Amino acid sequence: MREALKRKQVIGIVGGMGSYATLNFFSRLLAYFPAEREWDRPRIIIDNYCTMPSRVRAIIYKEKYKEVYMALANSIKLLIDGGATDIVLVCNTAHCFLKDIFKLYPEYKNYVIDIIALCARELNRGGWKEIYLIATEGTVQTNIYTEALQRYGIQAILPSKKEQAEIRKYIEAVKQNKITQEIKMDFAQFIYEIECKQILLGCTEIPVLCQSMDKIINKTIIDPLEYVCKELKIRGKRY
């Protein structure tokens, strides 16, 4: 009898929210899985679902809310059907819809890595007590980070209305691939003026902007996607 093929890790990415954040995450995954031969890396399937309606508008204005979470569920199913063993939604705001998705498809919990829950757990292990959250209006409004961090006694410091408008400008600059020198200087000044010394990048666009800069001074920057890459590496060793 032919020996059964060993099951291998297949990473699935629900992307396109936006596309440059997805591209950045893919590049970082390759760095986390260095290989002398291409076939030593895990298979990675990307669904760059950029035609999906706005997640932020769905949350704030209830605009096409069901259409959004059904689109996310469709993408997850597509990846599972393609053989994905571990799935990442490369959009923090998209995690606001996971409760709705899991109610319909509870089995999807076995595949999806919850970025927010993972980040809160790792920050607790690091002994963090407070952190300033850079995120979309949708992520802030639903309190998914605030509540996840509170479970560990960590305080999330939220942007003011004025700061939130600035954050939206930086997010859109990445989505549109318009990271100018002016945007970089504005962002550096924005970070510098934040009183809290710890900054949480709760939007997957912001790491793209950070990596385009020489350095971020006077602050400790926490990128949840780093935790995700490490988690995927750990999971990969189990196959």
Side-chain angles (χ1 to χ4, degrees):
M1 183 181 293
R2 182 179 296 175
E3 184 180 351
L5 290 174
K6 182 181 177 182
R7 190 174 185 231
K8 294 184 178 181
Q9 182 182 38
V10 178
I11 298 171
I13 298 175
V14 181
M17 304 174 283
S19 298
Y20 289 98
T22 304
L23 181 63
N24 177 263
F25 180 63
F26 177 52
S27 175
R28 290 163 67 178
L29 270 184
L30 296 182
Y32 259 88
F33 289 89
E36 293 182 7
R37 301 169 299 180
E38 280 295 326
W39 53 86
D40 290 332
R41 287 194 176 93
R43 183 177 180 183
I44 301 174
I45 306 172
I46 301 174
D47 180 11
N48 200 60
Y49 204 157
C50 52
T51 56
M52 191 185 306
S54 167
R55 280 69 55 204
V56 172
R57 293 189 67 85
I59 291 166
I60 295 177
Y61 306 113
K62 303 302 178 186
E63 182 179 290
K64 300 181 180 180
Y65 187 93
K66 185 175 180 180
E67 185 177 337
V68 169
Y69 75 73
M70 289 305 297
L72 289 166
N74 175 268
S75 183
I76 293 169
K77 182 180 186 302
L78 182 71
L79 295 169
I80 293 172
D81 290 347
T85 57
D86 303 293
I87 294 174
V88 181
L89 279 63
V90 187
C91 171
N92 287 270
T93 308
H95 287 66
C96 302
F97 301 91
L98 284 181
K99 286 184 179 179
D100 297 289
I101 295 169
F102 291 157
K103 281 180 183 177
L104 291 174
Y105 309 101
E107 66 275 18
Y108 288 2
K109 287 184 180 180
N110 299 325
Y111 298 89
V112 176
I113 296 175
D114 187 327
I115 293 177
I116 286 82
L118 175 62
C119 179
R121 186 186 75 200
E122 293 301 317
L123 288 175
N124 178 58
R125 287 178 176 174
W128 298 81
K129 296 303 178 185
E130 68 173 17
I131 195 161
Y132 180 92
L133 177 65
I134 294 181
T136 67
E137 297 94 326
T139 299
V140 171
Q141 185 168 304
T142 56
N143 290 317
I144 54 171
Y145 262 112
T146 302
E147 292 173 0
L149 293 171
Q150 279 178 345
R151 294 188 189 104
Y152 297 102
I154 304 170
Q155 180 188 2
I157 300 173
L158 303 179
S160 66
K161 197 169 184 180
K162 180 181 178 182
E163 289 169 339
Q164 193 65 63
E166 287 291 300
I167 290 169
R168 167 50 51 191
K169 178 178 70 175
Y170 304 132
I171 292 171
E172 287 303 316
V174 176
K175 283 182 178 291
Q176 298 170 22
N177 196 28
K178 294 180 179 178
I179 303 176
T180 63
Q181 191 61 33
E182 182 181 359
I183 286 290
K184 292 180 184 180
M185 292 176 64
D186 271 3
F187 182 69
Q189 186 64 29
F190 175 82
I191 294 293
Y192 182 80
E193 291 177 0
I194 294 172
E195 291 185 7
C196 184
K197 295 296 183 182
Q198 296 79 233
I199 311 291
L200 175 59
L201 307 185
C203 173
T204 53
E205 262 72 39
I206 301 300
V208 180
L209 179 54
C210 288
Q211 290 185 13
S212 73
M213 303 169 68
D214 294 332
K215 60 181 178 179
I216 301 291
I217 58 173
N218 87 319
K219 297 291 188 295
T220 299
I221 306 296
I222 302 297
D223 181 359
L225 290 179
E226 282 295 304
Y227 297 136
V228 174
C229 289
K230 292 175 183 177
E231 177 69 14
L232 287 168
K233 185 91 172 185
I234 291 169
R235 292 188 179 200
K237 294 177 180 179
R238 298 173 185 168
Y239 293 94

PDB file of all heavy atoms in Angstrom, residues 109-144:
ATOM      1  N   LYS A 109     -13.636  28.513  12.623  1.00  0.00           N
ATOM      2  CA  LYS A 109     -12.773  28.858  13.760  1.00  0.00           C
ATOM      3  C   LYS A 109     -11.505  28.004  13.784  1.00  0.00           C
ATOM      4  O   LYS A 109     -10.477  28.423  14.322  1.00  0.00           O
ATOM      5  CB  LYS A 109     -13.523  28.663  15.077  1.00  0.00           C
ATOM      6  CG  LYS A 109     -14.583  29.698  15.369  1.00  0.00           C
ATOM      7  CD  LYS A 109     -15.183  29.436  16.750  1.00  0.00           C
ATOM      8  CE  LYS A 109     -16.260  30.448  17.084  1.00  0.00           C
ATOM      9  NZ  LYS A 109     -16.846  30.205  18.430  1.00  0.00           N
ATOM     10  N   ASN A 110     -11.595  26.820  13.219  1.00  0.00           N
ATOM     11  CA  ASN A 110     -10.459  25.901  13.212  1.00  0.00           C
ATOM     12  C   ASN A 110      -9.355  26.354  12.260  1.00  0.00           C
ATOM     13  O   ASN A 110      -8.250  25.813  12.295  1.00  0.00           O
ATOM     14  CB  ASN A 110     -10.919  24.496  12.823  1.00  0.00           C
ATOM     15  CG  ASN A 110     -11.937  23.929  13.787  1.00  0.00           C
ATOM     16  OD1 ASN A 110     -11.857  24.183  14.986  1.00  0.00           O
ATOM     17  ND2 ASN A 110     -12.905  23.185  13.271  1.00  0.00           N
ATOM     18  N   TYR A 111      -9.665  27.311  11.394  1.00  0.00           N
ATOM     19  CA  TYR A 111      -8.714  27.741  10.369  1.00  0.00           C
ATOM     20  C   TYR A 111      -8.201  29.165  10.578  1.00  0.00           C
ATOM     21  O   TYR A 111      -7.036  29.448  10.301  1.00  0.00           O
ATOM     22  CB  TYR A 111      -9.372  27.667   8.981  1.00  0.00           C
ATOM     23  CG  TYR A 111      -9.792  26.295   8.561  1.00  0.00           C
ATOM     24  CD1 TYR A 111     -11.060  25.792   8.883  1.00  0.00           C
ATOM     25  CD2 TYR A 111      -8.925  25.469   7.843  1.00  0.00           C
ATOM     26  CE1 TYR A 111     -11.447  24.513   8.492  1.00  0.00           C
ATOM     27  CE2 TYR A 111      -9.305  24.194   7.451  1.00  0.00           C
ATOM     28  CZ  TYR A 111     -10.562  23.725   7.778  1.00  0.00           C
ATOM     29  OH  TYR A 111     -10.939  22.461   7.393  1.00  0.00           O
ATOM     30  N   VAL A 112      -9.084  30.062  11.040  1.00  0.00           N
ATOM     31  CA  VAL A 112      -8.759  31.494  11.090  1.00  0.00           C
ATOM     32  C   VAL A 112      -7.924  31.843  12.326  1.00  0.00           C
ATOM     33  O   VAL A 112      -8.280  31.479  13.446  1.00  0.00           O
ATOM     34  CB  VAL A 112     -10.042  32.352  11.081  1.00  0.00           C
ATOM     35  CG1 VAL A 112      -9.702  33.833  11.243  1.00  0.00           C
ATOM     36  CG2 VAL A 112     -10.820  32.124   9.777  1.00  0.00           C
ATOM     37  N   ILE A 113      -6.828  32.543  12.101  1.00  0.00           N
ATOM     38  CA  ILE A 113      -6.020  33.090  13.191  1.00  0.00           C
ATOM     39  C   ILE A 113      -6.567  34.475  13.522  1.00  0.00           C
ATOM     40  O   ILE A 113      -6.556  35.377  12.677  1.00  0.00           O
ATOM     41  CB  ILE A 113      -4.530  33.191  12.793  1.00  0.00           C
ATOM     42  CG1 ILE A 113      -3.951  31.797  12.536  1.00  0.00           C
ATOM     43  CG2 ILE A 113      -3.728  33.919  13.871  1.00  0.00           C
ATOM     44  CD1 ILE A 113      -2.519  31.812  12.026  1.00  0.00           C
ATOM     45  N   ASP A 114      -7.065  34.641  14.731  1.00  0.00           N
ATOM     46  CA  ASP A 114      -7.624  35.918  15.166  1.00  0.00           C
ATOM     47  C   ASP A 114      -6.470  36.851  15.552  1.00  0.00           C
ATOM     48  O   ASP A 114      -5.841  36.687  16.596  1.00  0.00           O
ATOM     49  CB  ASP A 114      -8.556  35.687  16.359  1.00  0.00           C
ATOM     50  CG  ASP A 114      -9.316  36.939  16.769  1.00  0.00           C
ATOM     51  OD1 ASP A 114      -8.753  38.051  16.632  1.00  0.00           O
ATOM     52  OD2 ASP A 114     -10.446  36.812  17.236  1.00  0.00           O
ATOM     53  N   ILE A 115      -6.202  37.830  14.704  1.00  0.00           N
ATOM     54  CA  ILE A 115      -5.078  38.748  14.926  1.00  0.00           C
ATOM     55  C   ILE A 115      -5.225  39.501  16.247  1.00  0.00           C
ATOM     56  O   ILE A 115      -4.259  39.661  16.996  1.00  0.00           O
ATOM     57  CB  ILE A 115      -4.955  39.751  13.764  1.00  0.00           C
ATOM     58  CG1 ILE A 115      -4.559  39.035  12.471  1.00  0.00           C
ATOM     59  CG2 ILE A 115      -3.928  40.839  14.093  1.00  0.00           C
ATOM     60  CD1 ILE A 115      -4.490  39.948  11.262  1.00  0.00           C
ATOM     61  N   ILE A 116      -6.453  39.962  16.535  1.00  0.00           N
ATOM     62  CA  ILE A 116      -6.671  40.780  17.731  1.00  0.00           C
ATOM     63  C   ILE A 116      -6.441  39.968  19.005  1.00  0.00           C
ATOM     64  O   ILE A 116      -5.737  40.402  19.922  1.00  0.00           O
ATOM     65  CB  ILE A 116      -8.088  41.400  17.718  1.00  0.00           C
ATOM     66  CG1 ILE A 116      -8.160  42.555  16.705  1.00  0.00           C
ATOM     67  CG2 ILE A 116      -8.454  41.939  19.094  1.00  0.00           C
ATOM     68  CD1 ILE A 116      -8.365  42.208  15.300  1.00  0.00           C
ATOM     69  N   ALA A 117      -7.009  38.766  19.052  1.00  0.00           N
ATOM     70  CA  ALA A 117      -6.846  37.903  20.229  1.00  0.00           C
ATOM     71  C   ALA A 117      -5.391  37.503  20.423  1.00  0.00           C
ATOM     72  O   ALA A 117      -4.875  37.487  21.548  1.00  0.00           O
ATOM     73  CB  ALA A 117      -7.726  36.658  20.083  1.00  0.00           C
ATOM     74  N   LEU A 118      -4.715  37.186  19.320  1.00  0.00           N
ATOM     75  CA  LEU A 118      -3.303  36.800  19.382  1.00  0.00           C
ATOM     76  C   LEU A 118      -2.453  37.959  19.890  1.00  0.00           C
ATOM     77  O   LEU A 118      -1.576  37.780  20.747  1.00  0.00           O
ATOM     78  CB  LEU A 118      -2.825  36.361  17.997  1.00  0.00           C
ATOM     79  CG  LEU A 118      -1.339  36.029  17.851  1.00  0.00           C
ATOM     80  CD1 LEU A 118      -0.951  34.857  18.740  1.00  0.00           C
ATOM     81  CD2 LEU A 118      -0.996  35.737  16.379  1.00  0.00           C
ATOM     82  N   CYS A 119      -2.708  39.153  19.387  1.00  0.00           N
ATOM     83  CA  CYS A 119      -1.942  40.332  19.786  1.00  0.00           C
ATOM     84  C   CYS A 119      -2.130  40.618  21.272  1.00  0.00           C
ATOM     85  O   CYS A 119      -1.154  40.873  21.994  1.00  0.00           O
ATOM     86  CB  CYS A 119      -2.379  41.542  18.966  1.00  0.00           C
ATOM     87  SG  CYS A 119      -1.512  43.067  19.382  1.00  0.00           S
ATOM     88  N   ALA A 120      -3.370  40.570  21.756  1.00  0.00           N
ATOM     89  CA  ALA A 120      -3.646  40.834  23.170  1.00  0.00           C
ATOM     90  C   ALA A 120      -2.921  39.830  24.055  1.00  0.00           C
ATOM     91  O   ALA A 120      -2.340  40.201  25.086  1.00  0.00           O
ATOM     92  CB  ALA A 120      -5.159  40.774  23.422  1.00  0.00           C
ATOM     93  N   ARG A 121      -2.934  38.575  23.653  1.00  0.00           N
ATOM     94  CA  ARG A 121      -2.253  37.529  24.431  1.00  0.00           C
ATOM     95  C   ARG A 121      -0.749  37.782  24.508  1.00  0.00           C
ATOM     96  O   ARG A 121      -0.137  37.664  25.570  1.00  0.00           O
ATOM     97  CB  ARG A 121      -2.519  36.172  23.789  1.00  0.00           C
ATOM     98  CG  ARG A 121      -1.995  34.973  24.574  1.00  0.00           C
ATOM     99  CD  ARG A 121      -2.183  33.708  23.787  1.00  0.00           C
ATOM    100  NE  ARG A 121      -1.199  33.607  22.710  1.00  0.00           N
ATOM    101  CZ  ARG A 121      -1.347  32.822  21.642  1.00  0.00           C
ATOM    102  NH1 ARG A 121      -2.433  32.101  21.495  1.00  0.00           N
ATOM    103  NH2 ARG A 121      -0.407  32.780  20.719  1.00  0.00           N
ATOM    104  N   GLU A 122      -0.162  38.157  23.378  1.00  0.00           N
ATOM    105  CA  GLU A 122       1.281  38.386  23.336  1.00  0.00           C
ATOM    106  C   GLU A 122       1.683  39.653  24.096  1.00  0.00           C
ATOM    107  O   GLU A 122       2.732  39.694  24.744  1.00  0.00           O
ATOM    108  CB  GLU A 122       1.763  38.464  21.882  1.00  0.00           C
ATOM    109  CG  GLU A 122       1.645  37.150  21.122  1.00  0.00           C
ATOM    110  CD  GLU A 122       2.433  36.033  21.785  1.00  0.00           C
ATOM    111  OE1 GLU A 122       3.574  36.282  22.216  1.00  0.00           O
ATOM    112  OE2 GLU A 122       1.889  34.916  21.893  1.00  0.00           O
ATOM    113  N   LEU A 123       0.856  40.682  24.041  1.00  0.00           N
ATOM    114  CA  LEU A 123       1.140  41.901  24.802  1.00  0.00           C
ATOM    115  C   LEU A 123       1.079  41.619  26.300  1.00  0.00           C
ATOM    116  O   LEU A 123       1.859  42.166  27.083  1.00  0.00           O
ATOM    117  CB  LEU A 123       0.147  43.003  24.430  1.00  0.00           C
ATOM    118  CG  LEU A 123       0.326  43.636  23.044  1.00  0.00           C
ATOM    119  CD1 LEU A 123      -0.793  44.618  22.755  1.00  0.00           C
ATOM    120  CD2 LEU A 123       1.674  44.342  22.935  1.00  0.00           C
ATOM    121  N   ASN A 124       0.149  40.760  26.696  1.00  0.00           N
ATOM    122  CA  ASN A 124       0.071  40.370  28.097  1.00  0.00           C
ATOM    123  C   ASN A 124       1.326  39.630  28.531  1.00  0.00           C
ATOM    124  O   ASN A 124       1.871  39.879  29.611  1.00  0.00           O
ATOM    125  CB  ASN A 124      -1.159  39.488  28.318  1.00  0.00           C
ATOM    126  CG  ASN A 124      -1.278  39.000  29.744  1.00  0.00           C
ATOM    127  OD1 ASN A 124      -1.336  39.792  30.682  1.00  0.00           O
ATOM    128  ND2 ASN A 124      -1.302  37.684  29.924  1.00  0.00           N
ATOM    129  N   ARG A 125       1.818  38.749  27.684  1.00  0.00           N
ATOM    130  CA  ARG A 125       3.055  38.022  27.988  1.00  0.00           C
ATOM    131  C   ARG A 125       4.238  38.973  28.123  1.00  0.00           C
ATOM    132  O   ARG A 125       5.179  38.720  28.870  1.00  0.00           O
ATOM    133  CB  ARG A 125       3.337  36.994  26.890  1.00  0.00           C
ATOM    134  CG  ARG A 125       2.414  35.788  26.917  1.00  0.00           C
ATOM    135  CD  ARG A 125       2.725  34.837  25.783  1.00  0.00           C
ATOM    136  NE  ARG A 125       1.906  33.632  25.855  1.00  0.00           N
ATOM    137  CZ  ARG A 125       1.896  32.675  24.923  1.00  0.00           C
ATOM    138  NH1 ARG A 125       2.679  32.806  23.848  1.00  0.00           N
ATOM    139  NH2 ARG A 125       1.133  31.609  25.063  1.00  0.00           N
ATOM    140  N   GLY A 126       4.170  40.088  27.374  1.00  0.00           N
ATOM    141  CA  GLY A 126       5.256  41.069  27.438  1.00  0.00           C
ATOM    142  C   GLY A 126       5.140  42.038  28.601  1.00  0.00           C
ATOM    143  O   GLY A 126       5.995  42.916  28.770  1.00  0.00           O
ATOM    144  N   GLY A 127       4.060  41.909  29.369  1.00  0.00           N
ATOM    145  CA  GLY A 127       3.892  42.760  30.547  1.00  0.00           C
ATOM    146  C   GLY A 127       3.433  44.178  30.256  1.00  0.00           C
ATOM    147  O   GLY A 127       3.616  45.086  31.071  1.00  0.00           O
ATOM    148  N   TRP A 128       2.792  44.383  29.111  1.00  0.00           N
ATOM    149  CA  TRP A 128       2.341  45.724  28.749  1.00  0.00           C
ATOM    150  C   TRP A 128       1.149  46.141  29.601  1.00  0.00           C
ATOM    151  O   TRP A 128       0.290  45.327  29.943  1.00  0.00           O
ATOM    152  CB  TRP A 128       1.951  45.759  27.270  1.00  0.00           C
ATOM    153  CG  TRP A 128       3.091  45.446  26.367  1.00  0.00           C
ATOM    154  CD1 TRP A 128       3.567  44.200  26.051  1.00  0.00           C
ATOM    155  CD2 TRP A 128       3.932  46.371  25.697  1.00  0.00           C
ATOM    156  NE1 TRP A 128       4.648  44.303  25.213  1.00  0.00           N
ATOM    157  CE2 TRP A 128       4.894  45.625  24.973  1.00  0.00           C
ATOM    158  CE3 TRP A 128       3.962  47.761  25.622  1.00  0.00           C
ATOM    159  CZ2 TRP A 128       5.867  46.226  24.188  1.00  0.00           C
ATOM    160  CZ3 TRP A 128       4.930  48.363  24.839  1.00  0.00           C
ATOM    161  CH2 TRP A 128       5.869  47.584  24.138  1.00  0.00           C
ATOM    162  N   LYS A 129       1.043  47.446  29.897  1.00  0.00           N
ATOM    163  CA  LYS A 129      -0.047  47.971  30.712  1.00  0.00           C
ATOM    164  C   LYS A 129      -0.920  48.973  29.961  1.00  0.00           C
ATOM    165  O   LYS A 129      -2.097  49.123  30.247  1.00  0.00           O
ATOM    166  CB  LYS A 129       0.503  48.624  31.985  1.00  0.00           C
ATOM    167  CG  LYS A 129       1.203  47.646  32.915  1.00  0.00           C
ATOM    168  CD  LYS A 129       0.275  46.494  33.324  1.00  0.00           C
ATOM    169  CE  LYS A 129       0.991  45.491  34.213  1.00  0.00           C
ATOM    170  NZ  LYS A 129       0.131  44.313  34.508  1.00  0.00           N
ATOM    171  N   GLU A 130      -0.316  49.687  29.007  1.00  0.00           N
ATOM    172  CA  GLU A 130      -1.096  50.621  28.197  1.00  0.00           C
ATOM    173  C   GLU A 130      -0.446  50.760  26.832  1.00  0.00           C
ATOM    174  O   GLU A 130       0.760  50.564  26.676  1.00  0.00           O
ATOM    175  CB  GLU A 130      -1.220  51.990  28.865  1.00  0.00           C
ATOM    176  CG  GLU A 130       0.074  52.775  28.961  1.00  0.00           C
ATOM    177  CD  GLU A 130      -0.142  54.191  29.467  1.00  0.00           C
ATOM    178  OE1 GLU A 130      -1.202  54.473  30.038  1.00  0.00           O
ATOM    179  OE2 GLU A 130       0.778  55.017  29.264  1.00  0.00           O
ATOM    180  N   ILE A 131      -1.288  51.094  25.851  1.00  0.00           N
ATOM    181  CA  ILE A 131      -0.770  51.209  24.488  1.00  0.00           C
ATOM    182  C   ILE A 131      -1.712  52.091  23.665  1.00  0.00           C
ATOM    183  O   ILE A 131      -2.928  52.051  23.844  1.00  0.00           O
ATOM    184  CB  ILE A 131      -0.607  49.807  23.849  1.00  0.00           C
ATOM    185  CG1 ILE A 131       0.262  49.872  22.596  1.00  0.00           C
ATOM    186  CG2 ILE A 131      -1.954  49.150  23.570  1.00  0.00           C
ATOM    187  CD1 ILE A 131       0.835  48.519  22.194  1.00  0.00           C
ATOM    188  N   TYR A 132      -1.137  52.915  22.812  1.00  0.00           N
ATOM    189  CA  TYR A 132      -1.927  53.806  21.945  1.00  0.00           C
ATOM    190  C   TYR A 132      -2.301  53.038  20.680  1.00  0.00           C
ATOM    191  O   TYR A 132      -1.444  52.441  20.023  1.00  0.00           O
ATOM    192  CB  TYR A 132      -1.120  55.053  21.596  1.00  0.00           C
ATOM    193  CG  TYR A 132      -1.834  56.037  20.699  1.00  0.00           C
ATOM    194  CD1 TYR A 132      -2.572  57.084  21.239  1.00  0.00           C
ATOM    195  CD2 TYR A 132      -1.772  55.920  19.321  1.00  0.00           C
ATOM    196  CE1 TYR A 132      -3.219  58.003  20.415  1.00  0.00           C
ATOM    197  CE2 TYR A 132      -2.414  56.824  18.487  1.00  0.00           C
ATOM    198  CZ  TYR A 132      -3.143  57.869  19.043  1.00  0.00           C
ATOM    199  OH  TYR A 132      -3.783  58.758  18.231  1.00  0.00           O
ATOM    200  N   LEU A 133      -3.576  53.066  20.337  1.00  0.00           N
ATOM    201  CA  LEU A 133      -4.074  52.291  19.205  1.00  0.00           C
ATOM    202  C   LEU A 133      -4.236  53.136  17.952  1.00  0.00           C
ATOM    203  O   LEU A 133      -5.000  54.104  17.930  1.00  0.00           O
ATOM    204  CB  LEU A 133      -5.425  51.656  19.563  1.00  0.00           C
ATOM    205  CG  LEU A 133      -6.124  50.870  18.458  1.00  0.00           C
ATOM    206  CD1 LEU A 133      -5.311  49.627  18.065  1.00  0.00           C
ATOM    207  CD2 LEU A 133      -7.538  50.472  18.888  1.00  0.00           C
ATOM    208  N   ILE A 134      -3.514  52.760  16.896  1.00  0.00           N
ATOM    209  CA  ILE A 134      -3.731  53.344  15.568  1.00  0.00           C
ATOM    210  C   ILE A 134      -4.581  52.351  14.784  1.00  0.00           C
ATOM    211  O   ILE A 134      -4.153  51.215  14.536  1.00  0.00           O
ATOM    212  CB  ILE A 134      -2.404  53.592  14.831  1.00  0.00           C
ATOM    213  CG1 ILE A 134      -1.593  54.683  15.552  1.00  0.00           C
ATOM    214  CG2 ILE A 134      -2.662  53.991  13.381  1.00  0.00           C
ATOM    215  CD1 ILE A 134      -0.278  55.008  14.871  1.00  0.00           C
ATOM    216  N   ALA A 135      -5.788  52.757  14.422  1.00  0.00           N
ATOM    217  CA  ALA A 135      -6.710  51.844  13.744  1.00  0.00           C
ATOM    218  C   ALA A 135      -7.752  52.640  12.968  1.00  0.00           C
ATOM    219  O   ALA A 135      -7.840  53.865  13.098  1.00  0.00           O
ATOM    220  CB  ALA A 135      -7.392  50.936  14.758  1.00  0.00           C
ATOM    221  N   THR A 136      -8.559  51.941  12.170  1.00  0.00           N
ATOM    222  CA  THR A 136      -9.638  52.594  11.439  1.00  0.00           C
ATOM    223  C   THR A 136     -10.761  52.987  12.398  1.00  0.00           C
ATOM    224  O   THR A 136     -10.844  52.490  13.525  1.00  0.00           O
ATOM    225  CB  THR A 136     -10.233  51.671  10.366  1.00  0.00           C
ATOM    226  OG1 THR A 136     -10.903  50.568  11.011  1.00  0.00           O
ATOM    227  CG2 THR A 136      -9.169  51.151   9.422  1.00  0.00           C
ATOM    228  N   GLU A 137     -11.640  53.840  11.923  1.00  0.00           N
ATOM    229  CA  GLU A 137     -12.803  54.231  12.719  1.00  0.00           C
ATOM    230  C   GLU A 137     -13.648  53.009  13.075  1.00  0.00           C
ATOM    231  O   GLU A 137     -14.195  52.917  14.178  1.00  0.00           O
ATOM    232  CB  GLU A 137     -13.670  55.241  11.956  1.00  0.00           C
ATOM    233  CG  GLU A 137     -12.987  56.552  11.654  1.00  0.00           C
ATOM    234  CD  GLU A 137     -12.349  56.579  10.272  1.00  0.00           C
ATOM    235  OE1 GLU A 137     -11.864  55.508   9.817  1.00  0.00           O
ATOM    236  OE2 GLU A 137     -12.314  57.657   9.657  1.00  0.00           O
ATOM    237  N   GLY A 138     -13.751  52.069  12.142  1.00  0.00           N
ATOM    238  CA  GLY A 138     -14.548  50.873  12.382  1.00  0.00           C
ATOM    239  C   GLY A 138     -13.983  50.021  13.497  1.00  0.00           C
ATOM    240  O   GLY A 138     -14.718  49.560  14.376  1.00  0.00           O
ATOM    241  N   THR A 139     -12.669  49.820  13.483  1.00  0.00           N
ATOM    242  CA  THR A 139     -12.015  49.031  14.527  1.00  0.00           C
ATOM    243  C   THR A 139     -12.157  49.706  15.886  1.00  0.00           C
ATOM    244  O   THR A 139     -12.438  49.057  16.894  1.00  0.00           O
ATOM    245  CB  THR A 139     -10.526  48.833  14.193  1.00  0.00           C
ATOM    246  OG1 THR A 139     -10.410  48.116  12.961  1.00  0.00           O
ATOM    247  CG2 THR A 139      -9.818  48.047  15.278  1.00  0.00           C
ATOM    248  N   VAL A 140     -11.976  51.030  15.902  1.00  0.00           N
ATOM    249  CA  VAL A 140     -12.093  51.777  17.161  1.00  0.00           C
ATOM    250  C   VAL A 140     -13.520  51.729  17.688  1.00  0.00           C
ATOM    251  O   VAL A 140     -13.757  51.478  18.875  1.00  0.00           O
ATOM    252  CB  VAL A 140     -11.643  53.247  16.965  1.00  0.00           C
ATOM    253  CG1 VAL A 140     -11.968  54.086  18.196  1.00  0.00           C
ATOM    254  CG2 VAL A 140     -10.152  53.306  16.676  1.00  0.00           C
ATOM    255  N   GLN A 141     -14.486  51.937  16.802  1.00  0.00           N
ATOM    256  CA  GLN A 141     -15.889  52.025  17.212  1.00  0.00           C
ATOM    257  C   GLN A 141     -16.415  50.704  17.780  1.00  0.00           C
ATOM    258  O   GLN A 141     -17.231  50.706  18.709  1.00  0.00           O
ATOM    259  CB  GLN A 141     -16.762  52.467  16.033  1.00  0.00           C
ATOM    260  CG  GLN A 141     -18.219  52.697  16.391  1.00  0.00           C
ATOM    261  CD  GLN A 141     -18.974  53.395  15.274  1.00  0.00           C
ATOM    262  OE1 GLN A 141     -18.595  54.488  14.823  1.00  0.00           O
ATOM    263  NE2 GLN A 141     -20.053  52.787  14.807  1.00  0.00           N
ATOM    264  N   THR A 142     -15.961  49.593  17.254  1.00  0.00           N
ATOM    265  CA  THR A 142     -16.460  48.299  17.727  1.00  0.00           C
ATOM    266  C   THR A 142     -15.761  47.819  18.999  1.00  0.00           C
ATOM    267  O   THR A 142     -16.182  46.826  19.600  1.00  0.00           O
ATOM    268  CB  THR A 142     -16.281  47.215  16.649  1.00  0.00           C
ATOM    269  OG1 THR A 142     -14.894  47.152  16.266  1.00  0.00           O
ATOM    270  CG2 THR A 142     -17.140  47.498  15.436  1.00  0.00           C
ATOM    271  N   ASN A 143     -14.679  48.507  19.384  1.00  0.00           N
ATOM    272  CA  ASN A 143     -13.956  48.183  20.626  1.00  0.00           C
ATOM    273  C   ASN A 143     -13.345  46.782  20.642  1.00  0.00           C
ATOM    274  O   ASN A 143     -13.105  46.229  21.716  1.00  0.00           O
ATOM    275  CB  ASN A 143     -14.889  48.334  21.845  1.00  0.00           C
ATOM    276  CG  ASN A 143     -15.228  49.775  22.137  1.00  0.00           C
ATOM    277  OD1 ASN A 143     -14.365  50.652  22.095  1.00  0.00           O
ATOM    278  ND2 ASN A 143     -16.488  50.044  22.411  1.00  0.00           N
ATOM    279  N   ILE A 144     -13.074  46.206  19.464  1.00  0.00           N
ATOM    280  CA  ILE A 144     -12.548  44.834  19.482  1.00  0.00           C
ATOM    281  C   ILE A 144     -11.154  44.775  20.112  1.00  0.00           C
ATOM    282  O   ILE A 144     -10.841  43.809  20.816  1.00  0.00           O
ATOM    283  CB  ILE A 144     -12.536  44.199  18.070  1.00  0.00           C
ATOM    284  CG1 ILE A 144     -11.785  45.069  17.054  1.00  0.00           C
ATOM    285  CG2 ILE A 144     -13.927  43.907  17.597  1.00  0.00           C
ATOM    286  CD1 ILE A 144     -11.583  44.372  15.718  1.00  0.00           C
TER     287      ILE A 144
END
